Amino acid sequence: MGSTPSSPLINEGVNLLNTLSPKDLDEFRQAMPSLGTELLLGRLGGQSETDRSLNKLRAEILIKALVIARERAEVELSDLKKKISSAKKIRLGSQVVSVICSSGVLGTIALGNKNVTITTAILSVAASLGVIVAEYKERLINQCDIYNAFESASLVAYKAGVAAGNLTILSEKIPESEELHNAIIDGNKICEDLNVWLIGISGSHA
């Protein structure tokens, strides 16, 4: 009960390109008319191809989408690093003030100095506010923990880079192979994950 094998889908890569670089997608449409409806949004494409002659072009689409997504993730990582660094500095400063306050309270008990009492009270409030600010900076608008967001962006950048590199090698060395066919399928699935990730970070920056 054999059937003509279907070409691998690139719809998620097309969606990703449309989100991150619609100009590149338009250029691909003009340069690759042979892919036809596969480059249209909402179309699965996947024409029946026994020779896989178009897989090199499909790989090129996915490579471009993955590389741009990796660059986007790296920008996100840079932004998150700054936020993490800022939050850590504020938290550290608050902890130092808290230690000073504790020492001040002990001194007040021993000396009965009212001015020290007032100063200690002010510093205590400042320390508490510092902790609140640090916690705010550690949480994104969509209530996602900033450290989890950093881990997610790191994983996205890694997966996109590996997939793009694998597709590049296979499309150059063995463009009509089963290996490239499967790599395109895997790359399209990664693009799907990247599309979901982009939706998540767009909410965090709203």
Side-chain angles (χ1 to χ4, degrees):
M1 303 297 293
S3 60
T4 304
S6 177
S7 61
L9 301 181
I10 58 171
N11 59 307
E12 295 293 346
V14 170
N15 290 336
L16 190 59
L17 263 184
N18 183 65
T19 300
L20 295 175
S21 185
K23 179 181 178 181
D24 283 317
L25 180 57
D26 287 338
E27 290 177 354
F28 277 130
R29 286 169 177 157
Q30 295 176 21
M32 302 177 179
S34 54
L35 289 181
T37 59
E38 292 185 55
L39 297 183
L40 297 179
L41 296 178
R43 300 293 185 89
L44 293 181
Q47 305 168 13
S48 294
E49 298 271 351
T50 55
D51 60 3
R52 298 168 181 160
S53 60
L54 300 180
N55 277 354
K56 185 176 177 65
L57 299 182
R58 295 186 181 101
E60 187 175 343
I61 299 294
L62 292 182
I63 291 168
K64 187 67 174 181
L66 289 164
V67 168
I68 293 176
R70 184 193 62 197
E71 292 171 350
R72 177 68 179 84
E74 289 172 348
V75 170
E76 185 72 9
L77 281 170
S78 177
D79 183 54
L80 289 170
K81 283 181 181 177
K82 293 177 182 178
K83 291 180 179 179
I84 290 173
S85 177
S86 176
K88 285 183 175 180
K89 288 178 181 178
I90 293 173
R91 187 174 290 281
L92 176 60
S94 299
Q95 291 171 344
V96 171
V97 172
S98 294
V99 171
I100 294 173
C101 289
S102 298
S103 301
V105 169
L106 293 175
T108 301
I109 294 174
L111 302 175
N113 190 321
K114 292 183 179 180
N115 290 332
V116 175
T117 302
I118 294 172
T119 301
T120 300
I122 293 173
L123 289 174
S124 296
V125 172
S128 298
L129 289 175
V131 172
I132 293 173
V133 172
E135 289 178 348
Y136 174 78
K137 284 181 170 288
E138 289 170 345
R139 190 161 297 278
L140 303 178
I141 293 175
N142 65 351
Q143 300 303 303
C144 173
D145 182 271
I146 193 171
Y147 301 103
N148 289 334
F150 184 86
E151 182 179 352
S152 177
S154 298
L155 181 60
V156 161
Y158 172 76
K159 289 173 66 176
V162 170
N166 189 38
L167 284 166
T168 299
I169 293 173
L170 292 174
S171 63
E172 291 177 353
K173 302 297 183 182
I174 41 178
E176 297 182 11
S177 66
E178 179 74 17
E179 288 86 349
L180 179 59
H181 179 97
N182 293 333
I184 292 173
I185 293 174
D186 293 339
N188 196 54
K189 290 178 181 177
I190 291 174
C191 286
E192 181 179 10
D193 294 338
L194 293 173
N195 281 316
V196 173
W197 175 74
L198 283 173
I199 293 174
I201 65 170
S202 65
S204 70
H205 296 306

